[in-house]
Amino acid sequence: MIKINENYLKLKASYLFADIARRVTAYQHANPEKEIIKLGIGDVTRALPKACIEAFHRAVDEMSSDTTFKGYGPEQGYPFLRKIIARQDYQSRGADIDPDEIFISDGAKCDTGNIQEIFSADTRVAIPDPVYPVYLDTNVMAGRTGDFNDGRYHGIYYLESTRENGFIPELPNQPVELIYLCYPNNPTGATISKEQLTDWVRYAKENKALILYDAAYEAFIRDESIPKTIYEIEGAREVAIEFRSFSKTAGFTGTRCAFTVVPKTCMAYDRKGEKHPLLPLWNRRHATKFNGVSYPVQKAAEAVYSPEGKVQVKELIGDYMKNARLIRKEMTGLGYECVGGDNSPYIWINGKQDSWDFFDMLLNKAGVVCTPGAGFGKCGKGYIRISAFNSYENVQKALKRIRLVL
Ligand code: MLT
């Protein structure tokens, strides 16, 4: 008798954003004349930067001739991309990262979801609340939790991000081994200071733990004092893996390109307590289960680092940040407490009511899609998240409708 992985039965029936998409589609069917403005899932709306498109085209042309055609590429990514990332994203900020510590992939969602495979099944995991659901769901699938009761999975240590702690969780008060952190944060938009991140790195070192640092939104940081990478913190090379993505930085949500940094000095232990570097394990996993991002997509990603690409990306992000500032200003003006929107494309709003009710009200009365905070965890109850990914005109229109409704 073929048996299922019963851990899947512990999960909520569908993934948060799939659930929201279903509600929006149902509303659209029932109200075909209504125009909906989507400020829910963080999906970019602007075209790829011109430098990326041109590089993409050139690379596609290379595929049309036998002499320049590329078949399978290296699973870890082409050296041209790994080198430029190491130089521009890390070495230029004093972070000592080598190209061969960078693994190109098709998304930070997949990488943050897959990375848990290289750790023991009985790893004690600390996960933020509220949280990007992928970290939690993939650990549930892997059997690291018990059942779901009262908004929580048994066996997970929840790092609560609340108004009281400024949306930066306290260090764990019991031993944990694998710690997920995401800054600028999805969903709260909060950022972490160098001092706070230093405390986490120290905790990881003292407890032989490992930090999985999701920095997918680093490009939105405006304040120079905020760390853009965990490797700006001394000692992080020994205790942290970092995830980055071109999705929000350069509009690659549909094009797919991201990367994971696993420093050679990053270690974990076997059951006898012997140290092992994580890079060969991740390399083994990656090479076995992944066949590389397509050559044209990697060429398009490389163009993000060209002089023109950098200007265009800055403009793109600047436009989304203009939306973010407007959303925060308007919602604050309407009397709602807001976090984020200054160094992040997400604005986390205390809706002062059930977050699914708030979501339904904005959808049904204003035709605006947001994300209910409760979908990100128990601490998200009462909040909604509004994303800055849309045109300025649509954001203005959405806010006008929201003003009328509220
Ligand atoms: C979000 O809206 O939280 C993100 O777009 C989801 C993702 O990046 O997968």
Side-chain angles (χ1 to χ4, degrees):
M1 179 172 62
I2 175 74
K3 300 213 180 69
I4 57 162
N5 173 354
E6 288 193 28
N7 294 311
Y8 277 67
L9 303 180
K10 298 175 193 163
L11 292 165
K12 274 178 265 155
S14 67
Y15 181 61
L16 171 64
F17 293 107
D19 196 9
I20 292 170
R22 216 178 21 257
R23 287 182 187 226
V24 174
T25 306
Y27 176 82
Q28 252 164 347
H29 278 141
N31 303 275
E33 73 297 348
K34 293 262 170 66
E35 180 217 24
I36 290 178
I37 301 175
K38 292 184 179 166
L39 301 174
I41 188 166
D43 193 6
V44 293
T45 53
R46 297 276 308 274
L48 290 178
K50 193 157 170 276
C52 299
I53 284 292
E54 286 171 358
F56 212 164
H57 277 293
R58 281 194 300 272
V60 170
D61 283 345
E62 283 184 62
M63 299 302 248
S64 70
S65 154
D66 289 351
T67 53
T68 49
F69 170 80
K70 305 270 186 298
Y72 289 128
E75 292 94 350
Q76 301 79 356
Y78 282 100
F80 63 78
L81 184 55
R82 300 172 88 194
K83 277 185 194 155
I84 204 159
I85 291 171
R87 204 165 54 240
Q88 294 206 21
D89 281 338
Y90 294 101
Q91 293 159 6
S92 71
R93 299 190 68 83
D96 174 23
I97 295 296
D98 276 349
D100 56 1
E101 296 176 319
I102 293 168
F103 293 82
I104 310 297
S105 77
D106 61 352
K109 177 181 187 175
C110 325
D111 287 351
T112 54
N114 291 327
I115 193 82
Q116 46 75 31
E117 279 185 29
I118 65 171
F119 302 103
S120 144
D122 59 1
T123 300
R124 284 169 297 182
V125 186
I127 291 189
D129 180 359
V131 73
Y132 177 46
V134 173
Y135 315 156
L136 184 59
D137 288 1
T138 51
N139 275 289
V140 176
M141 290 169 179
R144 289 197 185 85
T145 72
D147 287 334
F148 187 71
N149 276 316
D150 191 26
R152 292 278 160 94
Y153 282 100
H154 186 73
I156 293 286
Y157 185 92
Y158 286 90
L159 300 167
E160 298 194 344
S161 306
T162 61
R163 185 173 177 267
E164 287 66 38
N165 60 25
F167 298 94
I168 305 292
E170 321 291 338
L171 295 175
N173 59 15
Q174 52 177 270
V176 296
E177 293 152 336
L178 190 62
I179 301 159
Y180 288 78
L181 295 178
C182 170
Y183 291 103
N185 189 260
N186 180 13
T188 69
T191 51
I192 194 163
S193 69
K194 277 200 175 130
E195 294 68 33
Q196 288 165 324
L197 199 49
T198 302
D199 288 344
W200 281 98
V201 168
R202 193 180 313 118
Y203 173 92
K205 284 187 123 176
E206 286 170 4
N207 291 279
K208 295 187 173 167
L210 187 90
I211 298 172
L212 298 175
Y213 193 71
D214 185 349
Y217 297 92
E218 62 73 34
F220 295 85
I221 295 176
R222 290 282 157 279
D223 178 344
E224 272 301 311
S225 69
I226 297 172
K228 278 184 159 261
T229 159
I230 195 166
Y231 304 119
E232 286 176 43
I233 309 299
E234 210 188 312
R237 274 188 58 88
E238 281 86 67
V239 292
I241 289 176
E242 180 165 292
F243 304 91
R244 291 266 191 112
S245 170
F246 294 97
S247 282
K248 319 293 157 94
T249 307
F252 274 57
T253 54
T255 306
R256 310 308 302 154
C257 198
F259 59 93
T260 290
V261 184
V262 187
K264 293 180 194 103
T265 42
C266 207
M267 302 284 167
Y269 302 82
D270 64 20
R271 82 176 77 116
K272 290 190 223 117
E274 272 167 36
K275 261 189 193 178
H276 295 265
L278 288 169
L279 187 146
L281 268 64
W282 182 243
N283 187 48
R284 186 69 169 84
R285 193 263 165 218
H286 203 66
T288 305
K289 297 196 179 181
F290 186 65
N291 242 345
V293 173
S294 80
Y295 174 72
V297 168
Q298 292 194 57
K299 283 308 254 186
E302 183 193 25
V304 165
Y305 299 92
S306 65
E308 321 77 70
K310 282 199 257 192
V311 172
Q312 292 158 11
V313 162
K314 202 166 167 202
E315 258 172 41
L316 195 63
I317 300 236
D319 286 347
Y320 289 131
M321 290 309 284
K322 189 171 154 201
N323 296 346
R325 277 194 300 277
L326 183 67
I327 296 166
R328 182 165 175 158
K329 181 166 158 264
E330 290 281 327
M331 293 307 291
T332 306
L334 288 168
Y336 292 90
E337 256 180 63
C338 298
V339 188
D342 39 6
N343 291 287
S344 140
Y346 296 128
I347 299 91
W348 187 241
I349 299 161
N350 185 345
K352 300 180 280 192
Q353 58 179 294
D354 178 87
S355 51
W356 280 102
D357 287 350
F358 203 145
F359 168 89
D360 284 334
M361 176 179 67
L362 290 190
L363 178 61
N364 294 315
K365 298 201 173 145
V368 173
V369 181
C370 67
T371 310
F376 296 106
K378 201 171 173 176
C379 293
K381 282 187 178 168
Y383 286 84
I384 57 159
R385 189 193 75 176
I386 297 189
S387 129
F389 294 113
N390 213 312
S391 66
Y392 192 62
E393 294 64 40
N394 275 346
V395 167
Q396 281 178 308
K397 208 193 283 181
L399 288 166
K400 194 168 160 198
R401 292 193 203 162
I402 292 176
R403 247 194 328 267
L404 288 174
V405 168
L406 297 178

